[in-house]
Structures are given as structure tokens and as C-alpha cells.
Amino acid sequence: MAAPVSLCHVACCANRAGGGAVSWGRGGLIAFGSCHDVVLYDPGHLSVRPELRDIELDTVLEVWPQFDIVPHRNVTCQTQPVKSIPLKGHTEAVCAVDAVQQSDEPDLNLLIASAASDSTVRIWSRHGSEAKCIEILQFGNGFVMDVCLSFLPGSNVKTKWKTEIEKEKYETIETKSVKKRRVTAQNTDTDTSYAITLESVLAGHENWVYAVHWQPSFSKGKFSFHDIRMISYEWKTIFIDISLLFIISEWTPEVVISGHFNSVEDVKWDPEGEFIISVGSDQTTRLFAPWKRKEETEVTWHEIARPQVHGYDMRCLAMVGRFQFVSGADEKVLRVFRAPKNFIENFSNITGISMEKLCSHSSDLPEGATVPALGLSNKAVFEGDMALQPAEDEESFNTISNQYPEIYFQPLVLTDYLVTNSNVLYKCFLEPPAEDHLLQNTLWPEIQKLYGHGYEIFCVACNNSNTVIASACKLAFSPNDRFLLAVSRDRNWSLWRKEDSSESGPVFTCCAYTDKNTAVHSRIIWSCDWTPDSKYFITGSRDKKVIFWGKCDLPVNTEGNMLDLVKPCSTVLDARDSVTAVSISRVLTLDGRYIVAVGLENGKIVLYTWKQSGQELAVADWTTCVEIGNSQSHALAVKRLCWRRHAGRAGHNDQNSSEWLQLASCGADHCVKVFNVNRFAL
């Protein structure tokens, strides 16, 4: 039987730090720091391995035989301890590190360079299980941002080197004047000089570039020796993987991991379970979907759109239909967005779902969206608007108005295409968009603003028929849309029932609530959710308690009073840490038990099942199924949990299979994760 839970997708971003926060190992894995984790990314399979956990800022380096070198303290991978070698000597925090192998057997001879805030660079030599410092470079009051070790061409030993800037200049292809640099390696017998000239300028980052790494030379895996790859990263984005393909003779950005660079506050599945949308304190809304490649069975998840780039920290969102959502931020205004035609077409190409199934009225939709100069809202762009833009070869900056155009949107076409080089025809397959397109060409038009809040918005919810939106503290509509549950900081919950619709719109009246005499929770209630049959609801609190309440399907008296009917239906579950998120699956276990996911403040996610066995409350009604491992859970508080509404896995066409469920989570560790859950193993 398959494992109960497996990690399907991780979306995360590199820390804003020096070059020591990223390293490309000779085994093919890229290690980079993300919040409190060291993430191991496999660019060959476009997937993330289990993270290295428990990162702390300290003055000790540790050598991990399996994974390259990273500044760290304790580490576990798949819950199994990894033996490490401490390198002690720095008196301040270690900020950068690099290493080279001095023999074909990497575990025997290793040369390591480390830079720290104590203004020193230390050179370490490791032989087998022993390591020692062989040299210390002093930089006075200077701060070393990065350190790199490498062998010069034709050399396999350590050499002293110096750089000189030649006086002469040369003309590039673009007739730009660039200085030539010369590197001289001094050996015992001879000096060897190396000339360094500019080959290409790679543009695409929107902020500071902190590091650049060449792909190490190795023959295993999916990379061939015909590819030269380098990675660079910046704050606010993540990696841009640039590959020089000799058949195309140009540098092109490749598909890599991406994600939020600050706390992720909310995540939701679309109603059909084909993609997820998340919002975060990095002021962005990001959309992730599975990428189905032709003639390959492997499905990987990627960011394919950034519908909203805001000026305020994002707090919450709710889906209002298949391609429409509403989001709330610190500005106290709710904004409603709808997908443009260009996104739906590209989503169809990426996922393999036909346009007819996705949208039947795409001809009425705008092509895309743009934010005008000095504007704050995403403005719809129609086909006629794009025709007014000047061609690239025209004089675009001859007037002030042309320097600040109203339309920045350019349609993004994600389809297979053909390229020709040296009279040879090559076919290139569609890929998710690169970072520059995500920033500019994947916005969704804003169709409405909702005002009314005078204070911060913490939560927004939409009923299942997509007719009512509610915003306040923590909210949840019942699946049958009859009830609206609200929980708050006052440690109580209130239940609101929908009355018969009036001409002025839906009317909700409070039919049940807890107060200081009936409350069970003793701290703030952080999360709530409903069972799929709308009989029970669940609450999770900072007091580490999880409780089922009900029954909400019992007949009520003529006055509509349910105060005496809604009571605790379960014993109090002690989660052993503050409960920050709860979610109940729409699909039950084989024996009819509810599947409950509980997220904790320490980042852990635990799966339980519950079913009321009789009139008396019993501890046996709760069953602990799976506690997701340390290397797969979040490093900081879980902000939101959300089950896919249907059985099956997105992108796998296994809707008819009732074996798999999918759970999306987001946390304060900047990560969005998707888990595959085998309900047969629960």
C-alpha cells in the first residue's frame, strides 16, 4: 500500500541573502535557503526534495556528506539524523560558504571556504572524518558578501592569483566599449595568464541580483554536456535558470521553482480542483497549476500566473466561481478579479483541458490586464487596445506620453513552436511562463471593489452557490449554504442562519452562539470549518483544543432558536500546540469517518478521523492517522489548510479514482505546499 501522505508540490522563494544562500552541487541538486529551511531542488525533475530543518543563525559550519556544505546546526532528512562534521572558529554568524573536491572521492578530500560577519574568510581542509582550518584571511572592518572556490583551467591544485584591469579596450558586437580583465595564476614554476571578456548580458531580474552559479560539470541525470547552465536569484522572485542551448545559440530562461518571499496568509482550491491560488504578505497573489508535458507521465506544479500585485500586504481570498476570486488586504477594501482570455487559453495548453470545458464565452473576455502609470487597479485590456501600441522598431520615446504608455500588457502564448538553426528545424514545447512574464503579462482584470470595513480584514468567504460574499474575522459557509459560522478573538463562535431571500438580498440572523458561560475555548479561536453534510462544524483555538459542534440539521422551533441544540459533539482533542488552521475533507473514509487536517503554530500538520459513535462523548471517536514528518511540514505557523473538493489528483485524470485526496497548505515560512493523501491508508 502507498504511503499515507506524500509531498506533491512546494512553492517557495530564496532568502534575501548573499551567495552563500544558494549552491549547485555536483550531484545535480540545488540547495538554497528559504526562511528557516534549506531547500533541495532537483532542476532535472523540476521537483523539491525533503527540506533540511531547524536552521539557526550561528557561528558553526557543518559538513553533510550527502548534500554539500551549508551553515547550519542540527539537521534531519526524512526524520533520519545525518552525521555532520562541525567546523568551529568563526566568532560571528557565518554568511557564505563554498567548497571544491580535491579528489574523485568527495568524502575523502574537500577544500572549504567560509565567510562570516567577523570580517574573516577561513579556509578549511577535510580529509575523511577530520577537518581543520588551514588559513585565515583578515578583512579588517570589511564585510565579505560572498566567497567562491574554483580551479583555473588546466589546474587541479590550489593557486595564488591576482587580477589586473588592462588599459586597452575592445569593441563588442554592439560596439560598446568594455574593459578586458586578466587573471594571473602564480605557481612554483610558471605564471599562467587568463583573459576575461564580456560574452553576454542577461537581463530579466526586477531587483538586486545576489548570486550567480554555474552548473557543475557532471554527466549523470537529464543534463547533457551540450548544455551550459547558470542560476541567479534575487529578492522578490526566486531562481531564473538560464541555459545556453547551442542548437538555438542564445540564452533563454528556463522553468524553475518560484513562490512567495514572505508569510503566505491564505490558499484556496478552485471549485473544480484544477489549480490553487495563494496570497501573502509579499503583496502578491499567485496561481499554481500542474504542468502536463506531452509524452511524459510525470506531472509537476508551477506558478503560471500572478493575478494581483498589490501595494498592501495581502490577508485573505475566496473563490467566486471557477475563474473569479475576491481578495482582501490591509487597505480594508475587497477587490474582485476575473481571469482574462489569454490566461484561460494558456491554462488550457498547460493542463491539457479543452477550452470548451473551461469557458464557453471566452470571446467576451478581455485579452489581459495592465496597471496604468500612477494607477492602483488592474485595468482590462481588450484586443483593440493592443492594436494602438507602437511597434518596437518605431521611435517610442519621442514624446512624454510614449515614455509612460497606458498599456504594458503583451499577450503570452504558451504553445509548441518551431525554431530553425543552420537549416535544421527544432521543435520546442510549451512551458510555464518565466518571471518577467509573470510580473507583467499574467495580471487579471479587476471588476469590482467592495467597501465598508473600517479596520483590517482578516477573512473573506463565499457561499458554495457563488452568490454571497462575507468578510470579517474567521468565517465559513456551510456546504448547503444555510449557515454562516464566525469565530473570533473573544474565544466564542456565532452561527448565522440564512432566512428567505428578500428584495434587498440575503438576510442572515444569529441563531446560536457561545458566551462566557457556555464557551469551551479559553483562548482566541483561530480557525473553523464544516463537515460536507453540514451537520457539524469544527473549531480550533490557541488553547490547543479542537472541538466538533452540532447537530445543525435538527428541526428548530418557530422562533428559530438553536441555542439549546448546538452543543459539543466530541471530546476535546488536545493537539499539543496552538491550533492555527483546521480543514475537513469533502470525501469521507471508507467506513464513513470525517477526515480532519489540523495545522499547528509550530508548523506541523496532523491528520485525524472522527465519527460520533453514540449519544455519549467518547475519546475513541477520534483517531490519529498521520503526523506529517518534520522535513515535509512547515517551519513556522500553518496559516491555512484547504482540501481539494473532489477525489483524485489535479493533472492526473484520475477523478474516477477514490484513492487519492489532495491537501493544500500555506504558512508563515513563505511556503505553499500540496500533499497527496491516500485515504485507503488512513
Side-chain angles (χ1 to χ4, degrees), residues 302 325 364 418 548:
H302 301 273
F325 72 92
D364 301 330
L418 301 176
F548 268 96

Side-chain angles (χ1 to χ4, degrees), residues 40 145 197 218 270 300 347 364 389 400 415 424 468 560 593:
L40 302 177
M145 295 289 294
T197 58
F218 60 94
D270 81 292
T300 56
F347 181 77
D364 301 330
Q389 299 182 79
I400 295 297
T415 57
V424 180
V468 180
R593 299 174 65 86

Side-chain angles (χ1 to χ4, degrees), residues 564-600:
D564 297 330
L565 300 179
V566 182
K567 301 177 180 179
C569 294
S570 71
T571 57
V572 175
L573 173 68
D574 183 6
R576 303 191 306 276
D577 196 42
S578 298
V579 179
T580 55
V582 293
S583 183
I584 303 176
S585 171
R586 295 291 182 94
V587 183
L588 307 184
T589 62
L590 296 180
D591 57 353
R593 299 174 65 86
Y594 301 115
I595 304 173
V596 183
V598 177
L600 306 179

Side-chain angles (χ1 to χ4, degrees), residues 530-533 535-536 538 548 569-571 573 583-597 607-614 616-626 643 658 661 677-682:
W530 287 86
T531 58
D533 52 16
K535 291 183 179 180
Y536 308 95
I538 191 173
F548 268 96
C569 294
S570 71
T571 57
L573 173 68
S583 183
I584 303 176
S585 171
R586 295 291 182 94
V587 183
L588 307 184
T589 62
L590 296 180
D591 57 353
R593 299 174 65 86
Y594 301 115
I595 304 173
V596 183
L607 301 185
Y608 300 90
T609 61
W610 178 84
K611 184 178 182 180
Q612 192 173 27
S613 57
E616 298 295 330
L617 305 184
V619 177
D621 292 349
W622 287 100
T623 301
T624 304
C625 299
V626 180
W643 288 95
S658 58
L661 306 175
V677 179
N678 188 331
R679 74 184 186 111
F680 290 175
L682 296 179

Side-chain angles (χ1 to χ4, degrees), residues 169-353:
K169 300 181 179 180
Y170 71 97
E171 298 296 316
T172 65
I173 298 177
E174 300 176 355
T175 67
K176 294 181 179 179
S177 181
V178 180
K179 293 182 179 180
K180 182 186 294 185
R181 294 180 181 270
R182 181 179 298 277
V183 176
T184 302
Q186 297 178 341
N187 294 324
T188 55
D189 299 329
T190 59
D191 292 351
T192 306
S193 297
Y194 301 87
I196 303 174
T197 58
L198 177 67
E199 193 272 337
S200 295
V201 176
L202 308 180
H205 288 288
E206 295 293 329
N207 215 304
W208 287 16
V209 177
Y210 283 93
V212 176
H213 287 261
W214 286 102
Q215 174 192 0
S217 58
F218 60 94
S219 57
K220 296 181 180 180
K222 296 183 66 175
F223 304 121
S224 68
F225 63 91
H226 294 295
D227 293 349
I228 298 178
R229 297 172 181 239
M230 61 183 290
I231 58 172
S232 60
Y233 72 94
E234 57 170 330
W235 186 50
K236 288 192 177 180
T237 60
I238 177 64
F239 295 104
I240 291 183
D241 188 353
I242 305 174
S243 176
L244 176 58
L245 304 178
F246 289 105
I247 59 174
I248 302 179
S249 299
E250 64 179 11
W251 294 89
T252 56
E254 289 198 343
V255 178
V256 288
I257 187 175
S258 65
H260 293 273
F261 59 87
N262 210 330
S263 175
V264 187
E265 298 295 324
D266 205 350
V267 62
K268 289 291 189 297
W269 285 92
D270 81 292
E272 300 299 322
E274 291 162 349
F275 61 85
I276 58 176
I277 297 184
S278 59
V279 297
S281 298
D282 60 356
Q283 304 182 351
T284 65
T285 301
R286 300 173 187 249
L287 190 149
F288 302 90
W291 176 25
K292 297 184 65 175
R293 284 160 283 181
K294 294 182 179 179
E295 301 177 356
E296 288 194 26
T297 58
E298 186 177 9
V299 175
T300 56
W301 284 68
H302 301 273
E303 182 183 359
I304 65 170
R306 205 165 294 171
Q308 183 184 14
V309 179
H310 210 340
Y312 293 86
D313 291 359
M314 307 295 299
R315 295 301 174 195
C316 53
L317 87 155
M319 296 301 300
V320 191
R322 191 169 195 181
F323 293 111
Q324 187 168 295
F325 72 92
V326 57
S327 65
D330 283 348
E331 64 169 340
K332 311 175 185 65
V333 177
L334 294 170
R335 296 173 183 260
V336 185
F337 298 85
R338 181 181 296 160
K341 179 181 178 181
N342 184 247
F343 167 81
I344 298 177
E345 291 174 344
N346 290 327
F347 181 77
S348 173
N349 294 331
I350 287 289
T351 60
I353 305 173

Side-chain angles (χ1 to χ4, degrees), residues 442-609:
T442 62
L443 295 172
W444 288 17
E446 181 182 316
I447 61 175
Q448 195 166 359
K449 293 184 181 69
L450 306 176
Y451 298 94
H453 284 281
Y455 295 93
E456 288 76 9
I457 303 171
F458 290 98
C459 180
V460 61
C462 179
N463 65 347
N464 292 272
S465 56
N466 300 322
T467 58
V468 180
I469 294 174
S471 60
C473 43
K474 295 294 184 179
L475 296 161
F477 280 96
S478 62
N480 61 11
D481 290 341
R482 289 185 57 200
F483 298 100
L484 174 62
L485 174 66
V487 298
S488 67
R489 186 182 295 271
D490 61 4
R491 309 168 187 175
N492 296 310
W493 55 260
S494 58
L495 187 63
W496 301 74
R497 186 176 58 203
K498 182 180 179 183
E499 305 296 342
D500 295 335
S501 298
S502 62
E503 295 181 358
S504 60
V507 176
F508 287 82
T509 58
C510 184
C511 59
Y513 56 87
T514 56
D515 54 28
K516 62 180 181 180
N517 297 320
T518 58
V520 178
H521 292 293
S522 58
R523 303 294 295 275
I524 178 176
I525 303 176
W526 263 330
S527 188
C528 61
D529 199 13
W530 287 86
T531 58
D533 52 16
S534 301
K535 291 183 179 180
Y536 308 95
F537 61 84
I538 191 173
T539 56
S541 169
R542 190 176 184 179
D543 61 7
K544 307 177 184 180
K545 298 176 182 177
V546 179
I547 306 171
F548 268 96
W549 304 78
K551 290 184 175 179
C552 299
D553 61 340
L554 297 176
V556 298
N557 56 36
T558 56
E559 297 180 357
N561 193 341
M562 299 178 62
L563 289 176
D564 297 330
L565 300 179
V566 182
K567 301 177 180 179
C569 294
S570 71
T571 57
V572 175
L573 173 68
D574 183 6
R576 303 191 306 276
D577 196 42
S578 298
V579 179
T580 55
V582 293
S583 183
I584 303 176
S585 171
R586 295 291 182 94
V587 183
L588 307 184
T589 62
L590 296 180
D591 57 353
R593 299 174 65 86
Y594 301 115
I595 304 173
V596 183
V598 177
L600 306 179
E601 192 173 24
N602 60 15
K604 290 188 177 296
I605 300 175
V606 187
L607 301 185
Y608 300 90
T609 61

